[in-house]
Amino acid sequence: MANQEIRLTAEGYQKTLEELEYLKTVKRGEIAEKIEIARSFGDLSENSEYDEAKNEQAIMESRIAELDAILKRAVIIDPTEQSTEHVHLGSKVKVHDCEFDEDVVYQIIGSKEADPFNGKLSDESPVGAALIGRQVGEMVNVETPEGVNQFIILEITQ
């Protein structure tokens, strides 16, 4: 699992890289300043500002390590290299949601950049996994926590 590749879109890779740079350049400096200010208050054993700043530093360093690991294992998805005949990672899929009688567009992406409220579904999510490998015109039954949902694939684009 530690060496498993992490699939990202070019946009997701760039956002991860930008967050890492921000944490390393801006946030580290801000937290270091907080620690220095807290040290100036005196006795560190009873200094809640110092403890809070050190906790914030630990959380940030953990996030930096996580982002470094993601970027080292990242494989960028290039949807232009894949056909639109079947749904695959990187596809944008227009489906008809039979339960709500509406058309919805989802992009199927890796789990690290999934954002279901903005139509970006992980290939590991129930809907994302059910759509992978399917074609236009297929009806897909998806087992979700709320029950079975039906989708009809209307269009697959890159």
Side-chain angles (χ1 to χ4, degrees):
M1 180 96 172
N3 291 327
Q4 184 179 6
E5 68 182 30
I6 296 174
R7 297 167 293 188
L8 298 172
T9 61
E11 177 187 354
Y13 184 88
Q14 187 61 37
K15 284 181 179 181
T16 304
L17 192 59
E18 288 170 6
E19 181 183 355
L20 179 62
E21 285 304 307
Y22 169 77
L23 291 175
K24 285 183 171 181
T25 58
V26 177
K27 196 68 175 172
R28 266 188 179 154
E30 290 174 357
I31 293 175
E33 189 175 318
K34 284 182 183 180
I35 291 171
E36 282 303 310
I37 291 169
R39 278 188 180 151
S40 71
F41 296 152
D43 185 7
L44 297 181
S45 66
E46 296 180 15
N47 188 330
S48 64
E49 288 87 358
Y50 179 77
D51 290 341
E52 185 178 317
K54 291 298 280 183
N55 284 339
E56 187 177 352
Q57 181 183 44
I59 291 168
M60 181 204 55
E61 292 299 332
S62 175
R63 180 66 178 156
I64 287 172
E66 178 185 11
L67 293 173
D68 270 332
I70 289 170
L71 292 173
K72 284 178 185 168
R73 297 175 10 221
V75 174
I76 298 175
I77 302 163
D78 185 358
T80 61
E81 294 178 355
Q82 300 178 10
S83 81
T84 56
E85 191 175 313
H86 293 88
V87 177
H88 54 80
L89 205 61
S91 292
K92 289 185 180 170
V93 185
K94 183 177 183 180
V95 297
H96 181 76
D97 184 329
C98 297
E99 180 181 353
F100 294 104
D101 194 30
E102 65 181 3
D103 294 347
V104 184
V105 176
Y106 295 121
Q107 183 178 18
I108 310 302
I109 56 176
S111 62
K112 291 295 181 187
E113 60 181 317
D115 184 2
F117 295 109
N118 289 309
K120 294 183 176 188
L121 301 181
S122 164
D123 61 332
E124 298 171 11
S125 71
V127 175
L131 292 174
I132 293 286
R134 301 300 186 105
Q135 297 178 320
V136 171
E138 282 192 64
M139 180 174 281
V140 181
N141 292 317
V142 181
E143 189 75 37
T144 67
E146 292 81 32
V148 176
N149 290 3
Q150 286 187 329
F151 298 94
I152 300 170
I153 300 175
L154 303 175
E155 182 179 16
I156 302 168
T157 59
Q158 299 173 350

